[in-house]
C-alpha cells in the first residue's frame, strides 16, 4: 500500500538521517512557468519551376520570397514547423504522332508554415505548347510564381502572368508569318521572359530568353536562383 506524504516540505531520502532533501512547495500562483526561447530566422523560399512547353514557351521560375537583409522572424523553440520543397513541373512524355493531349505541369508550391510564420511561394507556370497529330492542339502559357512563356503557334499569344511580389511574367510570342515564331521565355525572379520573334525579328524566329533570377547571399555566398527557362 502506498504511503501518502502529507508534509512534503522535508523528508529523508537517505539512510543517513543527517542528509535530507528539501522539496519546494508550490501553489497554483507560484508554480513556475516552463520557459521557452525564440530564434530569429531569415528565410529564402522558392517554388518549383514550371515545365517547358512542346514547340513552345519556357517554364516560369517558382515564386521567390525572402526576408534576407530585412526584418528577421522570431520562431519559438520546441514547436513544429512544416517545411515543403516544391518539385519542378513535369513535361508528359508522348511519342510522335502525339495522341495524348495534355498541358505541361506547373511547378509545385514551396512553403514554411507554423506559429508566427506562413510563407508560400507559388510554383512556376508551365510554358505554352502545341501538340501535333491528325489535328493540332494548342495550350496557353500558365500563370505562376513567374509566368510560363507563350507557345510558338499560329496565332499571337501572351505569356503567363506572375504572382505579385514573387516573380515576373513570361514572354509573348507573335503570330505565324509564314513560319512558326519563336516561343517566349519563362519569367524569372528578377526579369520577365523575353518575347519570341517572327520573320522580322532580330534574329528572325528567335525564341525568347528566360528571365534572369535573383542573387542572394543568405548562405554566405552570392548565388543566383529562380531563372526562367528559354523558349523553343
Amino acid at each position: 500500500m502506498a504511503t501518502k506524504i502529507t508534509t512534503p516540505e522535508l523528508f529523508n531520502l537517505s539512510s543517513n538521517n543527517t542528509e535530507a532533501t528539501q522539496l519546494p512547495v508550490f501553489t497554483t500562483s507560484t508554480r513556475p512557468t516552463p520557459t521557452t526561447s525564440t530564434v530569429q530566422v531569415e528565410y529564402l523560399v522558392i517554388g518549383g519551376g514550371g515545365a517547358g512547353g512542346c514547340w513552345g514557351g519556357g517554364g516560369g521560375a517558382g515564386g521567390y520570397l525572402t526576408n534576407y537583409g530585412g526584418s528577421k522572424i522570431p520562431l519559438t523553440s520546441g514547436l513544429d514547423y512544416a517545411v515543403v520543397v516544391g518539385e519542378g513541373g513535369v513535361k508528359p512524355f508522348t511519342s510522335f504522332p502525339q495522341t495524348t493531349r495534355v498541358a505541361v505541369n506547373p511547378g509545385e508550391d514551396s512553403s514554411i508554415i507554423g506559429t508566427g510564420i506562413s510563407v508560400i511561394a507559388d510554383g512556376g507556370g508551365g510554358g505554352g505548347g502545341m501538340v501535333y497529330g491528325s489535328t493540332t492542339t494548342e495550350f496557353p502559357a500558365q500563370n505562376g510564381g513567374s509566368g510560363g512563356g507563350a507557345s510558338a503557334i499560329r496565332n499571337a499569344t501572351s505569356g503567363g502572368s506572375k504572382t505579385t511580389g514573387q516573380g515576373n511574367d513570361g514572354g509573348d510570342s507573335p503570330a505565324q508569318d509564314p513560319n512558326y515564331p519563336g516561343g517566349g521565355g519563362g519569367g524569372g525572379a528578377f526579369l520577365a521572359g523575353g518575347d519570341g520573334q517572327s520573320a522580322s525579328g532580330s534574329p528572325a524566329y528567335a525564341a525568347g530568353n528566360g528571365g534572369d533570377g535573383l542573387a542572394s547571399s543568405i548562405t554566405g555566398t552570392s548565388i543566383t536562383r529562380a531563372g526562367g527557362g528559354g523558349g523553343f
Side-chain angles (χ1 to χ4, degrees), residues 2-172:
T3 301
K4 182 178 179 181
I5 300 175
T6 58
T7 56
E9 292 86 352
L10 183 65
F11 67 95
N12 190 8
L13 297 180
S14 170
S15 59
N16 185 346
N17 292 333
T18 63
E19 296 180 2
T21 299
Q22 179 74 40
L23 297 182
V25 178
F26 298 116
T27 66
T28 301
S29 60
T30 61
R31 184 177 294 117
T33 301
T35 59
T36 60
S37 60
T38 59
V39 179
Q40 301 298 316
V41 173
E42 293 175 317
Y43 64 81
L44 171 59
V45 182
I46 303 174
C54 179
W55 289 86
Y64 186 106
L65 294 172
T66 185
N67 68 339
Y68 178 69
S71 299
K72 298 179 180 180
I73 291 182
L75 301 185
T76 304
S77 63
L79 298 182
D80 292 332
Y81 293 87
V83 178
V84 175
V85 180
E87 294 184 353
V90 176
K91 179 178 179 180
F93 174 79
T94 57
S95 59
F96 188 86
Q98 294 138 314
T99 56
T100 302
R101 300 176 181 277
V102 293
V104 300
N105 295 321
E108 296 181 348
D109 297 348
S110 296
S111 60
I112 304 175
I113 297 176
T115 301
I117 186 171
S118 180
V119 178
I120 303 174
D122 293 347
M130 180 164 58
V131 179
Y132 290 102
S134 57
T135 60
T136 299
T137 303
E138 299 173 352
F139 295 100
Q142 301 168 2
N143 302 331
S146 283
S151 61
I153 58 179
R154 295 180 176 85
N155 302 309
T157 55
S158 299
S161 298
K162 66 180 181 297
T163 300
T164 301
Q166 296 194 19
N168 289 281
D169 295 340
D172 301 334

